[in-house]
Amino acid sequence: MKLFASLTSPYARKIRIILAEKGLPFELVVDSPWEVNTRIPSVNPLGKVPALLTNGGEVFFDSPVIAGYLETLNVSPHLLPREPIEAVRVRQIEALADGITDAAVAMVLESRRPEAKRSDDEIAHQTGKIGRALDELERRATGRHWLHGDGLSIGDIATGAALAYLDLRHPDYDWRAAHPALAALAARLFARPSFIDTKPPVG
Ligand SMILES: N[C@@H](CCC(=O)N[C@@H](CS)C(=O)NCC(=O)O)C(=O)O
């Protein structure tokens, strides 16, 4: 398998963490969709990372689809429950976490616009999404070791990737203070080799 990814993409990191947790061998093809000579559009028409080329020559994107594909390989640990409705519940947690990442990325892009074109309303709009989604994840994390069931799931991994991205790109945003259960979950996740080995380079 080949994973096309940039080293800072939180969505790609989610997939790299899943691959590491499962011990699946893959070749990492580092490519940034923002570079002029990027080859990503020839792999994924949407021009986004991550994209996964399977051993059978099929390409899967985007990250929830890749995560679903990796589960079909039937390699433990299983990161989605076998019961279909429970799997949907884990995917709901993943969607919440990915939504935090989407809003955090949108804020980064907004902050890179020329100052005169930057919109405080847009920043407030995205910050609102992050705050509400964090509150919902905190509610789900309270009193539990994992966000769903009694083992690590795609929901925990997506949440860890989103929280780490907040730390990377919005270091002044103190999400831990009002979300102690998420802070504890993040501390446990960040200590795992799969998270340590996929830390984005600084800068
Ligand atoms: N929903 C997608 C989001 C992927 C995404 O937006 N990736 C960013 C990098 S962090 C990207 O490739 N952006 C390039 C672009 O939007 O043109 C997923 O979960 O894979």
Side-chain angles (χ1 to χ4, degrees), residues 76-193:
S76 59
H78 298 290
L79 300 172
L80 271 183
R82 292 189 186 275
E83 178 72 27
I85 184 63
E86 296 307 323
V88 170
R89 292 192 171 114
V90 168
R91 306 245 67 161
Q92 179 67 90
I93 296 168
E94 181 186 22
L96 266 173
D98 285 359
I100 290 174
T101 304
D102 293 344
V105 168
M107 284 170 66
V108 170
L109 297 179
E110 188 63 27
S111 72
R112 288 181 183 163
R113 282 157 60 85
E115 200 163 347
K117 290 190 176 170
R118 259 178 245 161
S119 158
D120 288 345
D121 285 351
E122 177 61 13
I123 298 280
H125 186 62
Q126 300 300 340
T127 310
K129 290 178 197 287
I130 294 174
R132 290 188 302 274
L134 285 173
D135 291 349
E136 176 58 24
L137 287 171
E138 174 72 12
R139 190 184 69 71
R140 292 170 186 242
T142 300
R144 313 179 56 96
H145 195 79
W146 304 110
L147 280 163
H148 184 279
D150 53 10
L152 179 73
S153 75
I154 289 173
D156 299 297
I157 293 173
T159 297
L163 295 174
Y165 187 73
L166 284 180
D167 284 347
L168 177 74
R169 293 292 188 226
H170 305 285
D172 297 335
Y173 184 81
D174 182 12
W175 56 267
R176 286 176 174 80
H179 306 96
L182 280 184
L185 174 67
R188 290 195 294 275
L189 290 170
F190 294 176
R192 297 177 80 85

Side-chain angles (χ1 to χ4, degrees), residues 15-113:
I15 299 305
R16 289 164 65 208
I17 291 167
I18 292 172
L19 288 161
E21 290 288 344
K22 289 179 179 290
L24 284 165
F26 69 102
E27 182 188 336
L28 182 65
V29 182
V30 178
D31 195 335
S32 166
W34 308 107
E35 300 290 332
V36 195
N37 294 327
T38 178
R39 287 168 299 162
I40 300 300
S42 66
V43 184
N44 173 359
L46 300 175
K48 295 184 181 190
V49 289
L52 184 86
L53 175 65
T54 69
N55 291 339
E58 203 170 353
V59 176
F60 289 117
F61 52 87
D62 50 28
S63 64
V65 176
I66 299 172
Y69 167 72
L70 293 175
E71 281 309 294
T72 70
L73 300 181
N74 217 7
V75 172
S76 59
H78 298 290
L79 300 172
L80 271 183
R82 292 189 186 275
E83 178 72 27
I85 184 63
E86 296 307 323
V88 170
R89 292 192 171 114
V90 168
R91 306 245 67 161
Q92 179 67 90
I93 296 168
E94 181 186 22
L96 266 173
D98 285 359
I100 290 174
T101 304
D102 293 344
V105 168
M107 284 170 66
V108 170
L109 297 179
E110 188 63 27
S111 72
R112 288 181 183 163
R113 282 157 60 85

